[in-house]
Amino acid sequence: MKSSGTRREIPGTPVFDGRAAQLGYPLNAMCYSFNEAANREAFRADEEAYMERFGLTEAQRDAVRRRDVLGMIAEGGNVYYLAKLAGIFGLNVQDLGSMQTGLPVEDFKAALLAHGVTERRIAA
Amino acid sequence: MSAIVGGIFTSHVPGIGHAIARGLQRDPYWKPFFDGFAPVHEFLAREKPDVAVVFYNDHGLNFFLDKMPTFAIGAAPEYRHEDEGWGLSGFKPFRGAPELSWHIIEQVVRDEFDPVTCQSMLVDHGLAVPFELCWPDVDAWPVRVVPISINTVQHPLPSPKRCFALGRSVGRALDSWAGDERIVVLGTGGLSHQLDGTRAGHINVDYDRFCLRNLAQDPEALLQHDTLDIVELAGSQGVEILNWIAARGTLGGPVRELASNYHVPISNTATATVLLEHRQAVAA
């Protein structure tokens, strides 16, 4: 695909653009289906069959099998949809942050808490 | 004659919904965020708006990548929240204001925007969490709603300038609405946060302070960055500030900041709540 501009790279930051959306479509479609509880149950019951049903690429299936969040994103996964899959695995966004940064989850949380900012203004 | 009474800008993190469900408003972790709503509650009790026009983003409840509108305007008599995949549910249904929705649609198309119009639409935590924050402990929402969804999911996203201009156009529609409703505008999401990539956990207090310093009196300062600049500054989900920028655009008359609360962190997010009072622009 020819593009007129240079793709902007932002370190450590996936930009979910048309290329990613096209690549990630089956994986994201599967995750979108998890809005329904029955589909979450079907995935839990047989992950391989469920991934087959949505036609995930082999690389996407492998990333899901390994619970590899960065791998799923590299294969076009979008975090808003992946969050629904993460919920099935019992993972919250701090867990996802830990898995992607390589920091232990307690350290990831501590880094957030370290900002420790509260600033309040109320008009007289 | 209708009146825009003000703007409410707030984060919409799903965890806030869970905290409300578990009654954690006074818990030391959550209290500094929830305390920011006391002035909002006083304002809403005083101003008693009838309608809320809400700029937010859908996170994969109503819209999927099969059809992803840049701007979508709800025109339904009722909107519902449903399971988003991780069990957050139980939000009360939302009454629509379809006549006002169509009036807004007429105006923005006249102003050369091309929105998707939705007579059936689910609304997610991006709208429901701010409603719970603004109107806690009510049996039914005291306002009707016009939801306006902005794509912050799939790039290319609309530019900050375009979002501000959309807000200006919606503001013109509200100014020309013949009804006597009192209208409050909400912009939800942000501030800086990033859930994905090796930079997950990114927070930029300086950029957030810049937004909070300028939102009331110089909102066009926020338009100097393009969308990807904002992704770099505020994180890949911090770009939800686009919803704030659009909502601020609706307030065409003089505004005064009544309250601002900035608290880091809630979940992975730098949270903020801002209340702006609005007076109608006087025609020259």
Side-chain angles (χ1 to χ4, degrees):
Chain A
M1 186 166 66
K2 196 168 159 48
S3 177
S4 57
T6 312
R7 204 162 170 272
R8 168 105 167 241
E9 295 294 337
I10 301 173
T13 305
V15 173
F16 187 74
D17 58 7
R19 192 169 72 178
Q22 198 172 337
L23 173 65
Y25 196 88
L27 172 60
N28 292 315
M30 179 181 82
C31 293
Y32 182 64
S33 79
F34 296 143
N35 282 345
E36 292 185 29
N39 291 334
R40 302 197 287 272
E41 282 311 310
F43 175 83
R44 281 194 190 97
D46 189 342
E47 293 189 15
E48 293 296 328
Y50 203 83
M51 290 194 286
E52 173 66 24
R53 189 172 131 196
F54 282 84
L56 271 62
T57 66
E58 186 47 42
Q60 289 168 346
R61 291 179 209 213
D62 187 51
V64 172
R65 285 180 199 120
R66 290 187 290 106
R67 314 300 194 236
D68 173 6
V69 180
L70 289 175
M72 292 182 224
I73 290 171
E75 296 304 320
N78 175 282
V79 73
Y80 287 131
Y81 307 109
L82 295 178
K84 302 169 195 292
L85 175 62
I88 295 177
F89 298 149
L91 303 170
N92 63 30
V93 290
Q94 279 86 50
D95 298 319
L96 293 185
S98 162
M99 293 164 79
Q100 295 176 94
T101 57
L103 290 173
V105 69
E106 289 311 318
D107 292 2
F108 185 80
K109 287 183 185 173
L112 289 164
L113 285 168
H115 290 285
V117 181
T118 305
E119 294 171 350
R120 193 166 296 156
R121 296 190 293 261
I122 297 181
Chain B
M1 185 67 189
S2 68
I4 307 177
V5 299
I8 299 168
F9 305 80
T10 184
S11 305
H12 63 211
V13 182
I16 297 167
H18 290 296
I20 292 169
R22 288 182 287 154
L24 296 178
Q25 291 89 334
R26 292 170 183 276
D27 176 275
Y29 180 86
W30 294 96
K31 190 174 186 299
F33 172 73
F34 281 97
D35 280 354
F37 275 82
V40 173
H41 298 157
E42 289 167 22
F43 174 82
L44 291 170
R46 184 170 71 242
E47 297 293 339
K48 296 186 177 58
D50 306 292
V51 180
V53 175
V54 185
F55 293 87
Y56 73 110
N57 59 289
D58 180 90
H59 306 70
L61 177 65
N62 191 73
F63 296 115
F64 180 59
L65 305 173
D66 56 342
K67 307 171 194 71
M68 180 55 71
T70 299
F71 299 125
I73 303 180
E78 186 182 82
Y79 305 90
R80 283 175 297 106
H81 175 264
E82 284 186 358
D83 190 348
E84 296 181 43
W86 18 257
L88 187 67
S89 60
F91 292 108
K92 297 177 280 290
F94 304 82
R95 283 181 303 145
E99 300 83 5
L100 178 57
S101 289
W102 286 111
H103 175 76
I104 290 170
I105 291 162
E106 291 279 354
Q107 177 69 54
V108 303
V109 172
R110 199 176 306 128
D111 288 340
E112 303 189 336
F113 288 89
D114 310 288
V116 167
T117 58
C118 302
Q119 290 200 60
S120 172
M121 184 180 187
L122 298 172
V123 292
D124 78 356
H125 68 268
L127 186 146
V129 163
F131 264 53
E132 286 285 356
L133 288 165
C134 287
W135 295 281
D137 307 318
V138 294
D139 294 328
W141 305 118
V143 292
R144 294 183 294 145
V145 60
V146 176
I148 302 179
S149 169
I150 296 178
N151 168 29
T152 67
V153 175
Q154 177 184 276
H155 290 261
L157 310 183
S159 71
K161 283 179 185 162
R162 188 70 174 157
C163 293
F164 192 72
L166 176 71
R168 282 277 181 254
S169 179
V170 171
R172 280 190 287 278
L174 300 179
D175 285 342
S176 67
W177 177 241
D180 58 4
E181 289 94 338
R182 297 171 65 74
I183 299 166
V184 65
V185 177
L186 269 66
T188 87
L191 291 180
S192 62
H193 64 302
Q194 177 160 332
L195 303 178
D196 49 350
T198 54
R199 202 178 67 151
H202 172 75
I203 279 172
N204 185 341
V205 172
D206 287 338
Y207 177 72
D208 293 340
R209 284 182 177 140
F210 159 80
C211 293
L212 293 169
R213 195 165 57 239
N214 288 293
L215 183 72
Q217 297 312 330
D218 187 14
E220 296 190 35
L222 275 63
L223 311 184
Q224 68 186 274
H225 303 112
D226 72 20
T227 302
L228 288 174
D229 293 335
I230 295 178
V231 169
E232 182 151 13
L233 287 163
S236 41
Q237 285 73 45
V239 77
E240 291 170 344
I241 190 78
L242 291 174
N243 303 324
W244 287 44
I245 289 170
R248 177 63 186 87
T250 64
L251 308 177
V255 304
R256 186 166 77 106
E257 181 189 279
L258 295 185
S260 169
N261 187 47
Y262 179 61
H263 175 69
V264 192
I266 288 294
S267 185
N268 287 22
T269 303
T271 60
T273 304
V274 176
L275 172 62
L276 301 184
E277 176 186 62
H278 177 251
R279 288 181 224 104
Q280 300 308 109
V282 178

